[in-house]
Amino acid sequence: MRRKIVAGNWKLNTTLQEGIKLASSVNDLVAKGLPENVDVIVAPPFTHLAGIKKVLTEKIGLAAQNCAAEPSGALTGEVSASMIRSAGAEYVIIGHSERRIYFNESDLEVAGKVKLALENDLKPIFCCGEKLHEREKLIYTEVIKKQLEYGLFDLDEEKLKNVIIAYEPVWAIGTGKNATSEQAQEMHQYIRHLVEEKYSTRTAEEQVILYGGSCKPSNAPELFANKDVDGGLIGGASLSAKDFYGIINSF
Ligand code: 13P
């Protein structure tokens, strides 16, 4: 049985002090109990990683929101995969649509980051998702296929086992307009089918695929009830420990 995951992407929010408070509150709630087979991850800003690592129990995983495309060197302001690992994180979000759109990250760059993450013992949370006009033009499956083929599918099968895929339709992110349960299931099933085509039925069955985009306690039960939706990558609602825990308990 695939594990379920609920991951909170804090994006560009919280000071260090606020972040530690939020992580401690999530910790306290998670200590009350977790649904069976569910893993919890938080992804605070880089500056918070080492400090938050100290307050988290082993029940909660730690992720960075991005990593540099190079292992080291003269790249002022960048943060490498090895630095992230040394700060105590076990995961890193790669290819989030906000990075693809606002920082012009290409599929090729995303693919390089995935490899660097794996080389540094970090599990990538690989994001894919179509924009509104691509959905309206009914080319969303092609968009996702391209993002997976160029960004992820040059990995060998063993390495892919350490990757979590997150389907995040851009039109649903931060808009309050989540994908419907049917739309999410359709795309998750399609992504699993692509993994099966490229790798194997077994790997496709084991692949964890998260949904992201305006997920909240009120819609999470319906979204998570789909057989191919293995949890969520949560933005806004992960900034409230209560809402985040509500989503975790939607399973
Ligand atoms: P929201 O939950 O705020 O829509 O953000 C989703 C997201 O981008 C998570 O990575």
Side-chain angles (χ1 to χ4, degrees):
M1 191 186 171
R2 288 190 294 275
R3 287 200 70 77
K4 310 289 182 190
I5 296 178
V6 180
N9 175 9
W10 297 2
K11 307 191 181 184
L12 185 59
N13 293 295
T14 72
T15 61
L16 175 60
Q17 291 73 23
E18 288 162 350
I20 290 192
K21 219 168 135 188
L22 175 57
S24 306
S25 306
V26 174
N27 240 345
D28 293 346
L29 290 172
V30 163
K32 291 189 185 174
L34 277 178
E36 213 179 311
N37 204 33
V38 176
D39 292 334
V40 177
I41 299 170
V42 293
F46 288 133
T47 44
H48 306 13
L49 288 173
I52 285 184
K53 181 70 183 175
K54 290 196 190 119
V55 306
L56 293 181
T57 61
E58 72 288 351
K59 285 192 172 178
I60 304 177
L62 185 63
Q65 299 172 16
N66 177 35
C67 71
E70 296 295 330
S72 63
L75 288 163
T76 302
E78 287 293 274
V79 178
S80 74
S82 67
M83 293 170 190
I84 291 165
R85 186 71 189 109
S86 72
E90 302 96 9
Y91 303 87
V92 56
I93 297 171
I94 293 180
H96 192 282
S97 61
E98 286 151 17
R99 300 231 40 104
R100 293 177 188 260
I101 295 167
Y102 305 130
F103 300 91
N104 294 317
E105 278 190 17
S106 65
D107 289 320
L108 203 67
E109 199 173 343
V110 167
K113 290 184 177 193
V114 166
K115 290 198 187 101
L116 275 172
L118 290 166
E119 281 165 22
N120 286 283
D121 196 24
L122 287 168
K123 292 187 168 75
I125 302 173
F126 174 91
C127 301
C128 58
E130 81 283 359
K131 298 182 185 134
L132 181 60
H133 70 91
E134 294 164 334
R135 175 150 287 261
E136 286 172 345
K137 273 199 261 160
L138 304 178
I139 55 165
Y140 49 96
T141 53
E142 286 94 319
V143 171
I144 300 305
K145 188 173 187 191
K146 180 177 162 286
Q147 288 176 348
L148 286 166
E149 276 180 356
Y150 290 96
L152 194 62
F153 283 176
D154 56 344
L155 290 182
D156 64 37
E157 196 161 358
E158 265 323 291
K159 293 214 172 90
L160 189 80
K161 289 191 198 314
N162 289 312
V163 178
I164 296 159
I165 296 175
Y167 169 63
E168 299 204 308
V170 177
W171 48 270
I173 296 178
T175 58
K177 187 179 180 293
N178 58 288
T180 63
S181 179
E182 294 73 26
Q183 286 170 326
Q185 170 56 24
E186 181 200 9
M187 291 311 286
H188 283 234
Q189 189 173 16
Y190 177 65
I191 291 167
R192 200 175 302 290
H193 160 74
L194 292 175
V195 173
E196 181 173 23
E197 237 180 24
K198 168 74 188 171
Y199 297 96
S200 64
T201 305
R202 171 135 192 219
T203 295
E205 275 308 310
E206 287 171 359
Q207 181 63 57
V208 173
I209 308 173
L210 308 182
Y211 167 78
S214 299
C215 189
K216 30 186 192 282
S218 56
N219 58 28
E222 199 191 335
L223 287 161
F224 294 177
N226 288 297
K227 83 174 179 36
D228 289 299
V229 178
D230 304 311
L233 182 54
I234 319 300
S238 72
L239 295 171
S240 150
K242 187 168 156 275
D243 286 353
F244 190 51
Y245 190 58
I247 294 172
I248 294 166
N249 279 305
S250 298
F251 283 108

